[in-house]
Amino acid sequence: MCNWMVSLAVFLGGATNDLVGKLVAVWFPISTFVAIGLEHSVANLFLMPAAMLLNASMSWGDIIFRNVLPVLAGNAVAGALVVAASYSYQFGGLGGKRRAIFAEKLAKRERRKTLLKVRETVGVAVEESSSALAGLAQSSKNVVNNMVETVGGSRRTASALFASKKNTEQ
């Protein structure tokens, strides 16, 4: 069981990019196995001989057969089946069709995001163009009205201006 937490810490640490993320990702699984009281075979290879040096009542046979081998077997099963098999099912060869379905959904989501960006960009461009055209139309109207006022002395329509201009040219 301990190797489940240790393997989870390794996978989570590998999934992050910055130091703080790695520290947090590794901290919680390792703290969990220590708080639960699980035993890790590599840690036991240090602790058991250290206990023997302090005159603990145990033999090498006790260390190997009653602690290291059972813990090693449990850690191997938990690390290989629980962590590695679940990741392989999700992302590797055990997933099979599931991975293809995930890739298809991801591609569809990316297409949708791209389409939304294009719609947003086009919408902003259309809004800017329509406001620019409205401003241009207003400016043109103001120019024509100013021409009408200066030419005729009184306010007339643009068609009357063009008609009077045509008559003066003849």
Side-chain angles (χ1 to χ4, degrees):
M1 288 296 289
C2 169
N3 203 27
W4 179 10
M5 295 295 143
V6 171
S7 298
L8 188 62
V10 170
F11 277 110
L12 290 175
T16 61
N17 294 326
D18 60 341
L19 180 63
V20 174
K22 289 184 185 299
L23 291 173
V24 170
V26 170
W27 175 261
F28 287 107
I30 299 302
S31 299
T32 301
F33 96 73
V34 170
I36 293 173
L38 300 175
E39 296 185 15
H40 192 266
S41 58
V42 175
N44 288 348
L45 290 174
F46 168 76
L47 292 174
M48 297 296 172
M52 283 182 66
L53 289 174
L54 295 173
N55 297 325
S57 61
M58 64 179 72
S59 66
W60 284 104
D62 290 337
I63 292 173
I64 302 252
F65 295 111
R66 296 176 114 195
N67 192 292
V68 173
L69 289 179
V71 170
L72 184 64
N75 288 342
V77 167
L81 293 180
V82 175
V83 177
S86 65
Y87 270 83
S88 179
Y89 178 74
Q90 184 66 31
F91 303 111
L94 292 178
K97 288 185 181 180
R98 182 173 173 80
R99 191 171 53 195
I101 292 169
F102 175 75
E104 184 180 318
K105 285 182 181 179
L106 183 63
K108 186 185 284 186
R109 181 174 182 220
E110 291 299 322
R111 284 192 303 269
R112 195 175 318 138
K113 282 170 60 176
T114 304
L115 181 63
L116 288 175
K117 275 188 177 180
V118 167
R119 283 183 182 169
E120 181 180 305
T121 304
V122 169
V124 169
V126 166
E127 185 178 305
E128 289 174 356
S129 298
S130 64
S131 64
L133 287 174
L136 182 62
Q138 184 62 38
S139 298
S140 299
K141 184 178 178 183
N142 291 341
V143 167
V144 167
N145 285 337
N146 287 338
M147 287 173 57
V148 168
E149 287 179 7
T150 55
V151 169
S154 64
R155 190 159 182 91
R156 292 185 278 173
T157 62
S159 60
L161 172 68
F162 291 124
S164 66
K165 197 173 188 184
K166 204 176 198 185
N167 289 338
T168 57
E169 288 177 357
Q170 292 177 355

